[in-house]
Amino acid sequence: ADAQGRVLWRSGSPSVLGNADRLGFIEGAHWAEGAVGTNAIGTALVSQRAVQVFSAEHFLRTHHSWTCAGAPIRDPRTGQVIGVVDVSGPAATVHPTTIALVDAVARLAESQLRSEHDRTLNRLRALAAPILARMGSPALAVDTDGWVAAVDAMPLHNRILLPEQLTPGRVWLAALGMCVIEPLPGGWLVRPALGEDATDADQLSRVTLDLSNPDLPSLCLAGEFGSWRHDLSLRHAEILCALALSPQGRSAPQLADDLYGDRTRVVTVRAEMSRLRKQFTGLLAAQPYRFAGSVDLGIRYPADRRMLLPPSTAPVIRNARMAGPPSPAVRQDG
């Protein structure tokens, strides 16, 4: 179940699933304490520890034939509870080790999340280390939660507390004081601000959506502290191209129409935009979706516009292949 107690997935024998159906223990059901009273999912979320609820310990009489054990899962990056693992069944099948089982599964899930976070930090470190080496001044690279991936000529920090709404430029960080930051794929490049940085921090991030190579679209950023290039998947290249062609921004239904020719596919669009905004922190804004105002955006097209993202069947790309020059609000490179 998720952090609100809604059941996301379940599995079990047909007989047990049949009992669960009669109790409303199905995907999408809300099992928070405020919805159904004492139960392993909701009570584990409230107490933030593993619990076992047996028979009449359930608040609802209809659940007295049931037993369940649940344990919360925490995001190792933030410490926040992000879900619950639960084992439930007929009360006659209760076993004292079930609570230990769900707690072990929750810890295993956290271990996998921690390993994935380490892989993410390693990717950010590989990108940031050459930039830090060229800068010749104190700096560090952090992910979107403030975990430090790479540092040069500064005291070692495991994590830096970042403001909730962070944009490129000058910002006060409690651990470092006034800093100048620039976006990286999956994080930020951070340097303590010196007096001469006051005017540099006001410069726009120069970003280029490079579609000139039909087989290898990429996003490039050139800033005060260095530059990076990130290869794009076809879908992300389509989305960024659609946003670049509409500087005023696109709503989720409009983007769904751009990408699929179907305005109802907003859930898919929002999921993809969530991934993009996490990957390119500070470059993309929402409501509507658009490149942030702090971005000086340029596009590089193929010499033959008909070769724009050849595998793409998205309506916005098909139209762009036949279109004339882009909007004046977007810089055209090459």
Side-chain angles (χ1 to χ4, degrees), residues 35-61:
V36 296
T38 305
N39 72 93
I41 292 177
T43 304
L45 286 172
V46 171
S47 65
Q48 298 198 8
R49 62 182 179 86
V51 298
Q52 188 162 28
V53 179
F54 174 69
S55 185
E57 292 175 340
H58 287 91
F59 176 76
L60 294 179
R61 291 180 181 273

Side-chain angles (χ1 to χ4, degrees), residues 129 131-141 148 150-157 176 190-192 194:
I131 298 175
L132 294 179
R134 291 194 302 265
M135 286 173 55
S137 60
L140 51 80
V148 176
V151 62
D152 185 52
M154 291 182 63
L156 182 62
H157 295 271
L176 303 174
V190 182
R191 184 180 71 169
L194 304 175

